[in-house]
Structures are given as C-alpha cells and as structure tokens.
Amino acid sequence: MKKQVFNPFLPLDKYIPDGEPHIFGDRIYLFGSHDKEGGDTFCALDYEFFSAPLDDLSDWSSKGINYSAKQDALYSKERPYLYAPDVVCGNDGKYYLYYSLSGYQGKGGYHGPISVAVCDTPDGKYEYLGYVKNQDGSVFNKYVCFDPAVMNDNGTIRLYYGTAMPRGMCLPKFLKAFGAPVFEKIYGKSKEEILSEPSVWGANMITLCADMLTVKNDAVRIIPEKTRNTSFDKHAFFEGSSIRKINNTYYFIYSSQKNHELCYATSKYPDRNFKYGGTIVSNGDVGFNGRKEKDRLNATGTAHGSIECINGAWYVFYHRLTHGSDYSRQACAEPIEIKTDGSIEQVEISSGGLNRVPLIAKGKYPSVIACNITNGKMPHLSNQKSKKSIPMVTHKGNERFISNIDNKTTITYKWFDFIKGDGEIGFDIDSNAQGEMIVTADDEVIARMPINNFGRTTVSAKYHIQDLRRKSLSLKFSGKGSFNLYSFTFK
C-alpha cells in the first residue's frame, strides 16, 4: 500500500452501505447503496460504485454516478430509491446489476420486482434492461423480492433474495396491531399468500436463463423459516443476502434478525442443506468475546455486506452508522480468517481495517476513524434516528467530526503502534465543556488533560508509554457540558 488506509475506507463525505465487494480484472469493486450525508431515509442517492487497484487498497475512487433510479421503468414518487444491489459478470462478458426500488424509510420496498441493468464495464454507465420475470413474461414476484444477491456459478446464474419479519414480530402480533389490509399493502401479497406454507418470508434462490431476466426454475427456500431447534436459532435470517463459493462450499452471508450482525451459513449445495456457521462481524461488536447487546460499543443498526479474497487475504465488508441514525451509513472492512475447517470466527471492528497492520502513532488523523463511540448506553437504531443526544460521527459544511462528547463518553481507535516511548498528543476540539480527558493505551493511562476552554481550540499533553507493541487508543471524558472532536495529532 502506498499510504495507510483506515475505516471508513472511502472518502469521508461518501456513504456507501450494503457493500458487495467483487474482483473484476485487477481491481476490487464495491457495489453498494448510496446514503445521503445526514439524510433521513435509506439510500436517498443514486448508485456510485467505487474501486481500488488490488495492489493499493488505500486508493479508492469512482467515476461518478453509475445508475439513476429514474432510469428504471417502474420508478415512481412512491418508490424512488435504489436499494442494496449486486453485480455479476454474465456468460456474455457484460456486467449485470440487480436491485430493487423502495420508498421513504423502506416503505414500498417489499412488493416490487427485482430490476436489472447492464453495462459493458463494472463501473460504467448502466442501462436499464428490465425486471426478473417468469417464463410467460409476467413479473416474477414469488415470496418477497428484496435484497438480491447474484453469482455466476460456472455458467449458471443464481439469484438469492428475500426478507423476514423484524425481530420480535410474528404474524399474529402484526395482524393484531395493524390488521390484514395494512399487512397486504406492505408486502403486496394476498392474505392467502401471507398465511400459506411456506410463508412469504425467508431466504430463497432461483436460477436465470441466458437473457439474465427469465426465471429458469421455481424458487426454493434455502434456510428454514422456523429456526427453533435448528442451527439458526437466535440468528435467524432477516435480509441482506450475499453468496460466495469457496473451495466447493457455498457461503450464504446475511443480516440476522438481530439487525446489527453479518452471519454466514454453509452448504455443499447451492439450494439446500445450509447450516448456520456463526457471526462474522457486528457493527457494535455485540457477541465479540461474549459482549451483550446492552453493552454495544456503538449505536447499532442495519447490517449488510459480504466477504472477498484480495491478494490471498480475506476481508469482510460491512457498514457503520453515523449522524445518530440508520440513514447515513459508511463502508468499513476488516481482515478475517477462513480456517482449514471452513469456519470464520467473529472479528473485532477496528480503525485500521484494510490496512491489516496497526496504524503508526505519528502525524495527524481524523477523529471519525474511531471504531468505538459509546457513552455506556448506546441505542439500537433500526430504521430510525436517535431521540436522545448521543456521541456520534456527524458533519457541518466540509468538516466531519465526533459531536456530543459528554460525561463518560469513551472513544476508541484500534490499533496503533507507538514508535517512541515519549511524545505529545494533541486534540482539535470545539468545546462547551469543563472537565478532564483521560487518554489510555490499552488499560494504561498515558496522558491527562483539562478541558476548560470554550470554542475551537487545541488541547495537548505529553505522554509516556513503556510497551510500544500494538495498542488501542482510548479517550474518556469526565465532566460537565460537551465538546466536538475533529482530529488528533501525534508529535
């Protein structure tokens, strides 16, 4: 790598969640949704696909907007947003984009078809091709056509899709709360379809004909909908389908009903016998070393992403929340290991990510590369904004920073290699606070500095550290009021 790279790895003003990483040629591409900075709904902007050369994962760039929602023949004011996409190289060498349209905060996202666009290059200007259809030309709409994932399996085009009811919700409870007409409107299904077995909810697979639009076989359910007494108990499928084939084993990656973690299931077959494997990553580090949901290290929310092997090393791509909401999500990545038995252990989220090695404790860093931001009671923000003031990544004008840092807030960066035992660390802040900031490396207090200035200022302190090995760097504030943090500098 020509320079260090950190999470989020795209330009700080770009919000590309739901990322599907794929290697085409000598580049790694990220195909994802496009959130608005500080937005109030999912996927408010048109698709913009980023890529980087395989030999320099710090050099991500885009060619601008690749596809607009208005190009879709089914575009409407009720469904104007492009949701989580995937791209596959067809047998003809062209690239096919699969996606679904949705409405404000997800309304109208569960009753439309899966649409398709095509391009000669992975990140060129895509053109609308049509929608996935039955062999008689009618719209394919079996089960819930949502969050498509697609793969070219040695010439066979397989498309995975589906969604499930939110956690804690079941059909009787929903019908009692909202009534059948509301339910039918949301999912675009008749009461008979909703009550049928198997139900409209779950993870499904179809294969496509050579035209990349026509369904070749009937949809099959690949994961049991009822998970009690199965390997999927407590990690049931919710949404975010993704598919990979590794050493003749199919890996189905998905967002569980916990709605903050990416899980995986494996099978020797593409359409059956999937068994739950485990959690790969949680955007609040929930589950890592047994951490409970109430102890989440960030505000948590929707999860969607996948895994990819780059230069012989595996990574998981996921997204984090910003702006105290579920509507401005940024792409992150972490190194993972696929063991000889095919298993993947949950990975801890970090500031370095694609860097693979610790960052160097030298020079200036943006504050927003923090991997953990917590006040000890961070919320779960599935399809909502926080109603309370919480510490968060946000922006004003062209500046991105962490705001609302108040009493007992802890901000953590993982990891840094300290290159000398004695140094100075400074923080660019905008303060309306009085108190003390304590800086630790792992559990060792290396600096203390008073916060009693008002307005934009820099506070700094000398530090001494004995062990220069990999350290997590944490800042904890104790006092009254709050402040914003823009950057920090090692001297």
Side-chain angles (χ1 to χ4, degrees), residues 128-157:
Y128 177 74
L129 182 65
Y131 48 77
V132 176
K133 59 186 178 181
N134 297 308
Q135 294 189 13
D136 63 2
S138 60
V139 174
F140 175 80
N141 203 22
K142 187 168 185 179
Y143 305 132
V144 179
C145 294
F146 188 73
D147 279 359
V150 63
M151 73 181 305
N152 188 329
D153 188 9
N154 293 321
T156 298
I157 307 300

PDB file of all heavy atoms in Angstrom, residues 128-157:
ATOM      1  N   TYR A 128     -30.884   0.460 -18.153  1.00  0.00           N
ATOM      2  CA  TYR A 128     -31.978  -0.393 -17.697  1.00  0.00           C
ATOM      3  C   TYR A 128     -32.235  -1.519 -18.702  1.00  0.00           C
ATOM      4  O   TYR A 128     -32.304  -1.287 -19.908  1.00  0.00           O
ATOM      5  CB  TYR A 128     -33.240   0.449 -17.513  1.00  0.00           C
ATOM      6  CG  TYR A 128     -34.465  -0.337 -17.103  1.00  0.00           C
ATOM      7  CD1 TYR A 128     -34.593  -0.834 -15.808  1.00  0.00           C
ATOM      8  CD2 TYR A 128     -35.494  -0.577 -18.013  1.00  0.00           C
ATOM      9  CE1 TYR A 128     -35.723  -1.550 -15.430  1.00  0.00           C
ATOM     10  CE2 TYR A 128     -36.620  -1.295 -17.641  1.00  0.00           C
ATOM     11  CZ  TYR A 128     -36.727  -1.784 -16.347  1.00  0.00           C
ATOM     12  OH  TYR A 128     -37.840  -2.494 -15.974  1.00  0.00           O
ATOM     13  N   LEU A 129     -32.365  -2.743 -18.198  1.00  0.00           N
ATOM     14  CA  LEU A 129     -32.611  -3.896 -19.052  1.00  0.00           C
ATOM     15  C   LEU A 129     -34.033  -4.435 -18.893  1.00  0.00           C
ATOM     16  O   LEU A 129     -34.676  -4.817 -19.869  1.00  0.00           O
ATOM     17  CB  LEU A 129     -31.604  -5.004 -18.737  1.00  0.00           C
ATOM     18  CG  LEU A 129     -31.687  -6.272 -19.577  1.00  0.00           C
ATOM     19  CD1 LEU A 129     -31.355  -5.963 -21.049  1.00  0.00           C
ATOM     20  CD2 LEU A 129     -30.728  -7.332 -19.040  1.00  0.00           C
ATOM     21  N   GLY A 130     -34.524  -4.455 -17.668  1.00  0.00           N
ATOM     22  CA  GLY A 130     -35.863  -4.991 -17.418  1.00  0.00           C
ATOM     23  C   GLY A 130     -35.978  -5.463 -15.985  1.00  0.00           C
ATOM     24  O   GLY A 130     -35.228  -5.025 -15.111  1.00  0.00           O
ATOM     25  N   TYR A 131     -36.922  -6.355 -15.751  1.00  0.00           N
ATOM     26  CA  TYR A 131     -37.100  -6.908 -14.407  1.00  0.00           C
ATOM     27  C   TYR A 131     -37.122  -8.426 -14.503  1.00  0.00           C
ATOM     28  O   TYR A 131     -37.385  -9.011 -15.562  1.00  0.00           O
ATOM     29  CB  TYR A 131     -38.377  -6.382 -13.750  1.00  0.00           C
ATOM     30  CG  TYR A 131     -39.600  -6.450 -14.627  1.00  0.00           C
ATOM     31  CD1 TYR A 131     -40.273  -7.663 -14.840  1.00  0.00           C
ATOM     32  CD2 TYR A 131     -40.094  -5.314 -15.253  1.00  0.00           C
ATOM     33  CE1 TYR A 131     -41.394  -7.728 -15.655  1.00  0.00           C
ATOM     34  CE2 TYR A 131     -41.216  -5.374 -16.079  1.00  0.00           C
ATOM     35  CZ  TYR A 131     -41.855  -6.588 -16.261  1.00  0.00           C
ATOM     36  OH  TYR A 131     -42.957  -6.666 -17.078  1.00  0.00           O
ATOM     37  N   VAL A 132     -36.810  -9.069 -13.388  1.00  0.00           N
ATOM     38  CA  VAL A 132     -36.833 -10.523 -13.352  1.00  0.00           C
ATOM     39  C   VAL A 132     -38.266 -10.982 -13.599  1.00  0.00           C
ATOM     40  O   VAL A 132     -39.208 -10.488 -12.971  1.00  0.00           O
ATOM     41  CB  VAL A 132     -36.294 -11.045 -12.005  1.00  0.00           C
ATOM     42  CG1 VAL A 132     -36.408 -12.571 -11.931  1.00  0.00           C
ATOM     43  CG2 VAL A 132     -34.839 -10.598 -11.812  1.00  0.00           C
ATOM     44  N   LYS A 133     -38.425 -11.932 -14.508  1.00  0.00           N
ATOM     45  CA  LYS A 133     -39.768 -12.310 -14.956  1.00  0.00           C
ATOM     46  C   LYS A 133     -39.919 -13.822 -15.068  1.00  0.00           C
ATOM     47  O   LYS A 133     -38.936 -14.565 -15.161  1.00  0.00           O
ATOM     48  CB  LYS A 133     -40.053 -11.662 -16.313  1.00  0.00           C
ATOM     49  CG  LYS A 133     -39.054 -12.056 -17.404  1.00  0.00           C
ATOM     50  CD  LYS A 133     -39.292 -11.277 -18.688  1.00  0.00           C
ATOM     51  CE  LYS A 133     -38.264 -11.648 -19.752  1.00  0.00           C
ATOM     52  NZ  LYS A 133     -38.459 -10.887 -21.013  1.00  0.00           N
ATOM     53  N   ASN A 134     -41.155 -14.236 -15.064  1.00  0.00           N
ATOM     54  CA  ASN A 134     -41.479 -15.642 -15.285  1.00  0.00           C
ATOM     55  C   ASN A 134     -41.350 -15.969 -16.772  1.00  0.00           C
ATOM     56  O   ASN A 134     -41.227 -15.077 -17.624  1.00  0.00           O
ATOM     57  CB  ASN A 134     -42.901 -15.942 -14.805  1.00  0.00           C
ATOM     58  CG  ASN A 134     -43.048 -15.735 -13.309  1.00  0.00           C
ATOM     59  OD1 ASN A 134     -42.275 -16.266 -12.521  1.00  0.00           O
ATOM     60  ND2 ASN A 134     -44.040 -14.937 -12.921  1.00  0.00           N
ATOM     61  N   GLN A 135     -41.418 -17.236 -17.104  1.00  0.00           N
ATOM     62  CA  GLN A 135     -41.234 -17.642 -18.491  1.00  0.00           C
ATOM     63  C   GLN A 135     -42.361 -17.177 -19.404  1.00  0.00           C
ATOM     64  O   GLN A 135     -42.178 -17.080 -20.624  1.00  0.00           O
ATOM     65  CB  GLN A 135     -41.065 -19.161 -18.566  1.00  0.00           C
ATOM     66  CG  GLN A 135     -39.770 -19.622 -17.900  1.00  0.00           C
ATOM     67  CD  GLN A 135     -39.461 -21.085 -18.132  1.00  0.00           C
ATOM     68  OE1 GLN A 135     -40.068 -21.730 -18.983  1.00  0.00           O
ATOM     69  NE2 GLN A 135     -38.513 -21.616 -17.380  1.00  0.00           N
ATOM     70  N   ASP A 136     -43.516 -16.839 -18.829  1.00  0.00           N
ATOM     71  CA  ASP A 136     -44.606 -16.305 -19.648  1.00  0.00           C
ATOM     72  C   ASP A 136     -44.522 -14.781 -19.792  1.00  0.00           C
ATOM     73  O   ASP A 136     -45.409 -14.150 -20.381  1.00  0.00           O
ATOM     74  CB  ASP A 136     -45.962 -16.707 -19.072  1.00  0.00           C
ATOM     75  CG  ASP A 136     -46.219 -16.138 -17.681  1.00  0.00           C
ATOM     76  OD1 ASP A 136     -45.359 -15.381 -17.165  1.00  0.00           O
ATOM     77  OD2 ASP A 136     -47.272 -16.454 -17.084  1.00  0.00           O
ATOM     78  N   GLY A 137     -43.461 -14.182 -19.247  1.00  0.00           N
ATOM     79  CA  GLY A 137     -43.256 -12.739 -19.362  1.00  0.00           C
ATOM     80  C   GLY A 137     -43.816 -11.926 -18.214  1.00  0.00           C
ATOM     81  O   GLY A 137     -43.552 -10.725 -18.125  1.00  0.00           O
ATOM     82  N   SER A 138     -44.581 -12.542 -17.340  1.00  0.00           N
ATOM     83  CA  SER A 138     -45.143 -11.820 -16.195  1.00  0.00           C
ATOM     84  C   SER A 138     -44.055 -11.558 -15.152  1.00  0.00           C
ATOM     85  O   SER A 138     -43.010 -12.214 -15.119  1.00  0.00           O
ATOM     86  CB  SER A 138     -46.278 -12.638 -15.566  1.00  0.00           C
ATOM     87  OG  SER A 138     -45.800 -13.904 -15.110  1.00  0.00           O
ATOM     88  N   VAL A 139     -44.298 -10.581 -14.301  1.00  0.00           N
ATOM     89  CA  VAL A 139     -43.333 -10.204 -13.269  1.00  0.00           C
ATOM     90  C   VAL A 139     -43.132 -11.356 -12.286  1.00  0.00           C
ATOM     91  O   VAL A 139     -44.101 -11.922 -11.777  1.00  0.00           O
ATOM     92  CB  VAL A 139     -43.813  -8.954 -12.512  1.00  0.00           C
ATOM     93  CG1 VAL A 139     -42.876  -8.645 -11.352  1.00  0.00           C
ATOM     94  CG2 VAL A 139     -43.890  -7.761 -13.442  1.00  0.00           C
ATOM     95  N   PHE A 140     -41.876 -11.702 -12.037  1.00  0.00           N
ATOM     96  CA  PHE A 140     -41.593 -12.696 -11.005  1.00  0.00           C
ATOM     97  C   PHE A 140     -41.716 -12.024  -9.651  1.00  0.00           C
ATOM     98  O   PHE A 140     -41.015 -11.056  -9.363  1.00  0.00           O
ATOM     99  CB  PHE A 140     -40.183 -13.275 -11.173  1.00  0.00           C
ATOM    100  CG  PHE A 140     -39.800 -14.215 -10.068  1.00  0.00           C
ATOM    101  CD1 PHE A 140     -40.256 -15.531 -10.067  1.00  0.00           C
ATOM    102  CD2 PHE A 140     -39.000 -13.791  -9.012  1.00  0.00           C
ATOM    103  CE1 PHE A 140     -39.915 -16.395  -9.037  1.00  0.00           C
ATOM    104  CE2 PHE A 140     -38.660 -14.640  -7.986  1.00  0.00           C
ATOM    105  CZ  PHE A 140     -39.112 -15.946  -7.996  1.00  0.00           C
ATOM    106  N   ASN A 141     -42.592 -12.528  -8.820  1.00  0.00           N
ATOM    107  CA  ASN A 141     -42.854 -11.881  -7.538  1.00  0.00           C
ATOM    108  C   ASN A 141     -43.176 -12.900  -6.460  1.00  0.00           C
ATOM    109  O   ASN A 141     -43.974 -12.646  -5.572  1.00  0.00           O
ATOM    110  CB  ASN A 141     -43.997 -10.878  -7.683  1.00  0.00           C
ATOM    111  CG  ASN A 141     -43.951  -9.794  -6.608  1.00  0.00           C
ATOM    112  OD1 ASN A 141     -42.898  -9.539  -6.018  1.00  0.00           O
ATOM    113  ND2 ASN A 141     -45.076  -9.163  -6.352  1.00  0.00           N
ATOM    114  N   LYS A 142     -42.535 -14.076  -6.549  1.00  0.00           N
ATOM    115  CA  LYS A 142     -42.799 -15.102  -5.544  1.00  0.00           C
ATOM    116  C   LYS A 142     -42.029 -14.790  -4.275  1.00  0.00           C
ATOM    117  O   LYS A 142     -40.856 -14.423  -4.309  1.00  0.00           O
ATOM    118  CB  LYS A 142     -42.411 -16.483  -6.063  1.00  0.00           C
ATOM    119  CG  LYS A 142     -42.832 -17.602  -5.113  1.00  0.00           C
ATOM    120  CD  LYS A 142     -42.702 -18.971  -5.749  1.00  0.00           C
ATOM    121  CE  LYS A 142     -43.254 -20.036  -4.807  1.00  0.00           C
ATOM    122  NZ  LYS A 142     -43.163 -21.396  -5.396  1.00  0.00           N
ATOM    123  N   TYR A 143     -42.693 -14.976  -3.151  1.00  0.00           N
ATOM    124  CA  TYR A 143     -42.156 -14.583  -1.851  1.00  0.00           C
ATOM    125  C   TYR A 143     -41.911 -13.071  -1.879  1.00  0.00           C
ATOM    126  O   TYR A 143     -42.611 -12.349  -2.581  1.00  0.00           O
ATOM    127  CB  TYR A 143     -40.914 -15.388  -1.492  1.00  0.00           C
ATOM    128  CG  TYR A 143     -41.150 -16.894  -1.526  1.00  0.00           C
ATOM    129  CD1 TYR A 143     -40.265 -17.748  -2.181  1.00  0.00           C
ATOM    130  CD2 TYR A 143     -42.283 -17.456  -0.927  1.00  0.00           C
ATOM    131  CE1 TYR A 143     -40.483 -19.117  -2.221  1.00  0.00           C
ATOM    132  CE2 TYR A 143     -42.503 -18.824  -0.969  1.00  0.00           C
ATOM    133  CZ  TYR A 143     -41.604 -19.648  -1.625  1.00  0.00           C
ATOM    134  OH  TYR A 143     -41.821 -20.999  -1.675  1.00  0.00           O
ATOM    135  N   VAL A 144     -40.937 -12.567  -1.133  1.00  0.00           N
ATOM    136  CA  VAL A 144     -40.669 -11.124  -1.114  1.00  0.00           C
ATOM    137  C   VAL A 144     -39.368 -10.868  -1.855  1.00  0.00           C
ATOM    138  O   VAL A 144     -38.293 -11.307  -1.432  1.00  0.00           O
ATOM    139  CB  VAL A 144     -40.578 -10.585   0.324  1.00  0.00           C
ATOM    140  CG1 VAL A 144     -40.282  -9.076   0.303  1.00  0.00           C
ATOM    141  CG2 VAL A 144     -41.872 -10.854   1.085  1.00  0.00           C
ATOM    142  N   CYS A 145     -39.454 -10.147  -2.973  1.00  0.00           N
ATOM    143  CA  CYS A 145     -38.286  -9.908  -3.841  1.00  0.00           C
ATOM    144  C   CYS A 145     -37.499  -8.703  -3.334  1.00  0.00           C
ATOM    145  O   CYS A 145     -37.776  -7.559  -3.704  1.00  0.00           O
ATOM    146  CB  CYS A 145     -38.747  -9.711  -5.285  1.00  0.00           C
ATOM    147  SG  CYS A 145     -39.488 -11.204  -5.985  1.00  0.00           S
ATOM    148  N   PHE A 146     -36.517  -8.983  -2.511  1.00  0.00           N
ATOM    149  CA  PHE A 146     -35.809  -7.925  -1.778  1.00  0.00           C
ATOM    150  C   PHE A 146     -34.347  -8.317  -1.614  1.00  0.00           C
ATOM    151  O   PHE A 146     -34.017  -9.495  -1.466  1.00  0.00           O
ATOM    152  CB  PHE A 146     -36.471  -7.748  -0.406  1.00  0.00           C
ATOM    153  CG  PHE A 146     -35.983  -6.573   0.386  1.00  0.00           C
ATOM    154  CD1 PHE A 146     -36.336  -5.291   0.026  1.00  0.00           C
ATOM    155  CD2 PHE A 146     -35.192  -6.758   1.509  1.00  0.00           C
ATOM    156  CE1 PHE A 146     -35.902  -4.193   0.767  1.00  0.00           C
ATOM    157  CE2 PHE A 146     -34.743  -5.676   2.258  1.00  0.00           C
ATOM    158  CZ  PHE A 146     -35.108  -4.391   1.879  1.00  0.00           C
ATOM    159  N   ASP A 147     -33.444  -7.326  -1.627  1.00  0.00           N
ATOM    160  CA  ASP A 147     -32.015  -7.535  -1.394  1.00  0.00           C
ATOM    161  C   ASP A 147     -31.434  -8.662  -2.245  1.00  0.00           C
ATOM    162  O   ASP A 147     -30.970  -9.680  -1.728  1.00  0.00           O
ATOM    163  CB  ASP A 147     -31.762  -7.828   0.085  1.00  0.00           C
ATOM    164  CG  ASP A 147     -31.712  -6.570   0.934  1.00  0.00           C
ATOM    165  OD1 ASP A 147     -31.863  -5.467   0.368  1.00  0.00           O
ATOM    166  OD2 ASP A 147     -31.526  -6.683   2.153  1.00  0.00           O
ATOM    167  N   PRO A 148     -31.417  -8.511  -3.561  1.00  0.00           N
ATOM    168  CA  PRO A 148     -30.890  -9.578  -4.411  1.00  0.00           C
ATOM    169  C   PRO A 148     -29.372  -9.739  -4.289  1.00  0.00           C
ATOM    170  O   PRO A 148     -28.636  -8.772  -4.090  1.00  0.00           O
ATOM    171  CB  PRO A 148     -31.265  -9.113  -5.821  1.00  0.00           C
ATOM    172  CG  PRO A 148     -31.311  -7.618  -5.715  1.00  0.00           C
ATOM    173  CD  PRO A 148     -31.861  -7.347  -4.344  1.00  0.00           C
ATOM    174  N   ALA A 149     -28.930 -10.982  -4.397  1.00  0.00           N
ATOM    175  CA  ALA A 149     -27.510 -11.322  -4.498  1.00  0.00           C
ATOM    176  C   ALA A 149     -27.379 -12.298  -5.655  1.00  0.00           C
ATOM    177  O   ALA A 149     -28.247 -13.147  -5.850  1.00  0.00           O
ATOM    178  CB  ALA A 149     -27.006 -11.956  -3.209  1.00  0.00           C
ATOM    179  N   VAL A 150     -26.307 -12.179  -6.422  1.00  0.00           N
ATOM    180  CA  VAL A 150     -26.227 -12.967  -7.644  1.00  0.00           C
ATOM    181  C   VAL A 150     -24.805 -13.485  -7.844  1.00  0.00           C
ATOM    182  O   VAL A 150     -23.833 -12.830  -7.453  1.00  0.00           O
ATOM    183  CB  VAL A 150     -26.694 -12.112  -8.856  1.00  0.00           C
ATOM    184  CG1 VAL A 150     -25.802 -10.926  -9.073  1.00  0.00           C
ATOM    185  CG2 VAL A 150     -26.853 -12.951 -10.100  1.00  0.00           C
ATOM    186  N   MET A 151     -24.700 -14.680  -8.421  1.00  0.00           N
ATOM    187  CA  MET A 151     -23.392 -15.241  -8.706  1.00  0.00           C
ATOM    188  C   MET A 151     -23.431 -15.996 -10.029  1.00  0.00           C
ATOM    189  O   MET A 151     -24.481 -16.498 -10.454  1.00  0.00           O
ATOM    190  CB  MET A 151     -22.947 -16.198  -7.593  1.00  0.00           C
ATOM    191  CG  MET A 151     -23.672 -17.530  -7.566  1.00  0.00           C
ATOM    192  SD  MET A 151     -23.170 -18.634  -6.228  1.00  0.00           S
ATOM    193  CE  MET A 151     -21.406 -18.748  -6.477  1.00  0.00           C
ATOM    194  N   ASN A 152     -22.276 -16.037 -10.701  1.00  0.00           N
ATOM    195  CA  ASN A 152     -22.088 -16.855 -11.887  1.00  0.00           C
ATOM    196  C   ASN A 152     -21.364 -18.111 -11.431  1.00  0.00           C
ATOM    197  O   ASN A 152     -20.159 -18.091 -11.179  1.00  0.00           O
ATOM    198  CB  ASN A 152     -21.271 -16.103 -12.937  1.00  0.00           C
ATOM    199  CG  ASN A 152     -21.226 -16.847 -14.258  1.00  0.00           C
ATOM    200  OD1 ASN A 152     -21.270 -18.073 -14.310  1.00  0.00           O
ATOM    201  ND2 ASN A 152     -21.109 -16.103 -15.351  1.00  0.00           N
ATOM    202  N   ASP A 153     -22.100 -19.192 -11.297  1.00  0.00           N
ATOM    203  CA  ASP A 153     -21.588 -20.443 -10.749  1.00  0.00           C
ATOM    204  C   ASP A 153     -21.205 -21.372 -11.895  1.00  0.00           C
ATOM    205  O   ASP A 153     -21.980 -22.251 -12.286  1.00  0.00           O
ATOM    206  CB  ASP A 153     -22.651 -21.069  -9.846  1.00  0.00           C
ATOM    207  CG  ASP A 153     -22.135 -22.275  -9.069  1.00  0.00           C
ATOM    208  OD1 ASP A 153     -20.912 -22.515  -9.102  1.00  0.00           O
ATOM    209  OD2 ASP A 153     -22.953 -22.965  -8.434  1.00  0.00           O
ATOM    210  N   ASN A 154     -20.004 -21.124 -12.455  1.00  0.00           N
ATOM    211  CA  ASN A 154     -19.530 -21.920 -13.587  1.00  0.00           C
ATOM    212  C   ASN A 154     -20.539 -21.930 -14.736  1.00  0.00           C
ATOM    213  O   ASN A 154     -20.823 -22.976 -15.333  1.00  0.00           O
ATOM    214  CB  ASN A 154     -19.211 -23.352 -13.152  1.00  0.00           C
ATOM    215  CG  ASN A 154     -18.030 -23.420 -12.204  1.00  0.00           C
ATOM    216  OD1 ASN A 154     -17.052 -22.697 -12.372  1.00  0.00           O
ATOM    217  ND2 ASN A 154     -18.130 -24.267 -11.193  1.00  0.00           N
ATOM    218  N   GLY A 155     -21.085 -20.759 -15.019  1.00  0.00           N
ATOM    219  CA  GLY A 155     -22.010 -20.618 -16.131  1.00  0.00           C
ATOM    220  C   GLY A 155     -23.467 -20.597 -15.735  1.00  0.00           C
ATOM    221  O   GLY A 155     -24.321 -20.173 -16.533  1.00  0.00           O
ATOM    222  N   THR A 156     -23.798 -21.030 -14.522  1.00  0.00           N
ATOM    223  CA  THR A 156     -25.172 -20.981 -14.023  1.00  0.00           C
ATOM    224  C   THR A 156     -25.362 -19.694 -13.217  1.00  0.00           C
ATOM    225  O   THR A 156     -24.601 -19.439 -12.273  1.00  0.00           O
ATOM    226  CB  THR A 156     -25.490 -22.193 -13.130  1.00  0.00           C
ATOM    227  OG1 THR A 156     -25.358 -23.389 -13.891  1.00  0.00           O
ATOM    228  CG2 THR A 156     -26.911 -22.107 -12.576  1.00  0.00           C
ATOM    229  N   ILE A 157     -26.338 -18.900 -13.607  1.00  0.00           N
ATOM    230  CA  ILE A 157     -26.605 -17.647 -12.897  1.00  0.00           C
ATOM    231  C   ILE A 157     -27.617 -17.916 -11.791  1.00  0.00           C
ATOM    232  O   ILE A 157     -28.771 -18.258 -12.041  1.00  0.00           O
ATOM    233  CB  ILE A 157     -27.138 -16.561 -13.855  1.00  0.00           C
ATOM    234  CG1 ILE A 157     -26.180 -16.403 -15.041  1.00  0.00           C
ATOM    235  CG2 ILE A 157     -27.311 -15.245 -13.106  1.00  0.00           C
ATOM    236  CD1 ILE A 157     -24.765 -15.996 -14.672  1.00  0.00           C
TER     237      ILE A 157
END
